[in-house]
Amino acid sequence: MSNASPIDVAWMRRAVELAAKGVGSTHPNPVVGCVVTGPDGHPVGEGFHAVAGGPHAEVEALRMAGARARGGTAYVTLEPCNHTGRTGPCADALIEAGIARVVYAVPDPNRTAAGGAEKLSSKNIEVVEGVLRDEAEAVNYVWLHSVRMGRPFVTWKFATTLDGRSAAPDGTSKWITGPIARADVHRHRAECDAIAVGTQTVLDDDPELTVRDENDVPAARQPLRVVVGDREIPPTARVRNDRAETLLLPTHDPAEVLRQLDDRQIRHLWLEGGPTLAAAFVRAGLVDQIIAYVAPAVLGSGFAAVGDLGAESIDHLRRFKLADVSRLGDDVRLTLVPLGGK
């Protein structure tokens, strides 16, 4: 980053803001933002990757810039791609536009698409890496984690009372939290690629597992519905309706679930199952984020959010790092990550 200036930092910050506009809509691609400045350093184009199969951020920014991009600088949150998929290589587009300098934040960990920086350098284009890397990593953390780990990023969501109950003794759980918290769940669901529950949850609650707005209208884009377990699901179950695709996985192995989802290019799994499925993922060390909604209420009995984790003493406590606390009406949302995580 030795060749970066305060101006480079400023335009990369704008590129990060643009990248954030694509969160939840680019599956299975990353979110990327781009700003193009002309030879005089003034901005002439900007763009972000809005949808898989659509133009990449660099192409959108170059389209806006036109001939004014020649001799200028492109600021990109992720290393320009060097492969042809549903769209052409962004490295080639930058070369053809006559860009003289490319500043990017994060090297592309996807071996299929990487190599853009090397190609640009081979054409005598100045390349600067690592500007605002932490900020660019943060806006794209789910995709980056998935590609680097070779499996989907896993968010475990649950709602509890103050005494840690997710359902009453009779199995009822609607509604522990209030409408603001429930709307927040749908907002987060919309940013995921798949929602998973166990067969017990389907049999007990008959959830639809779709993303809906405040008027209960289904969203246009729906995550894949995943049902984990080997018990038979009745044909009348709502997860079998035509409002979203459903995948039945007759296994109890979380690693196998993630392997099959990775084969489908699922980058973000939203884990909404009951205590048994949650415990299986926690025991396997396959939870990357926890979003817990806590209601100001007590039950005193009923079902816990997670099943047996094998703890026999307080020494076996599994601790997480608190990343965020937000008030949602009378409820509280806690966001946690594994210790050592961001």
Side-chain angles (χ1 to χ4, degrees), residues 181-249:
R182 297 199 298 274
D184 190 68
V185 170
H186 282 280
R187 182 178 64 81
H188 280 285
R189 274 184 177 182
E191 295 179 355
C192 297
D193 304 320
I195 304 171
V197 298
T199 52
Q200 188 66 55
T201 295
V202 173
L203 294 172
D204 288 346
D205 298 341
D206 192 25
E208 187 173 71
L209 301 182
T210 53
V211 177
R212 301 179 297 278
D213 66 15
E214 63 275 8
N215 297 315
D216 208 35
V217 176
R221 175 191 172 273
Q222 293 291 340
L224 174 70
R225 300 180 292 196
V226 182
V227 180
V228 180
D230 51 16
R231 276 180 290 184
E232 186 66 27
I233 300 301
T236 55
R238 294 205 297 162
V239 292
R240 290 187 180 273
N241 66 24
D242 60 0
R243 290 191 170 181
E245 182 184 357
T246 299
L247 175 65
L248 304 180
L249 294 179

